[in-house]
Amino acid sequence: MAVSYKKLFHLLIEKNMTNAQLQQKAGFSANIITRLKRGRYISLESVEGICRVLNCGVDDILEFIPEDNGGKENG
């Protein structure tokens, strides 16, 4: 499964908060913002920090997207 953080970026817009402000308040590196933008996994600690700063739940900032592998198993 892939992960999407589109909900997070929409929430930041709603709260009028920049990526840099989130980074500073949650206390993580710029690398985490890059990973978020690229839809890569981040640590649970980073997810927790984001949720704390934005006063929201995990399901408010990310969602898992099933990957279509054409019915083939990776093995």
Side-chain angles (χ1 to χ4, degrees):
M1 286 200 161
V3 65
S4 171
Y5 300 100
K6 287 181 183 178
K7 289 180 171 184
L8 168 61
F9 293 109
H10 287 292
L11 189 58
L12 287 175
I13 291 167
E14 288 176 20
K15 293 187 179 267
N16 198 28
M17 183 180 288
T18 67
N19 295 341
Q21 289 170 327
L22 175 64
Q23 176 187 332
Q24 184 207 14
K25 290 181 180 185
F28 52 69
S29 71
N31 180 44
I32 299 298
I33 296 294
T34 301
R35 293 183 69 79
L36 291 167
K37 288 181 178 180
R38 293 180 179 170
R40 304 281 172 99
Y41 287 96
I42 61 171
S43 71
L44 190 55
E45 181 179 340
S46 296
V47 171
E48 181 182 1
I50 292 168
C51 290
R52 180 180 38 80
V53 167
L54 297 177
N55 193 29
C56 67
V58 175
D59 59 334
D60 294 320
I61 63 167
L62 66 84
E63 63 184 334
F64 290 104
I65 309 296
E67 294 185 63
D68 181 19
N69 62 6
K72 296 180 182 175
E73 295 278 332
N74 289 338

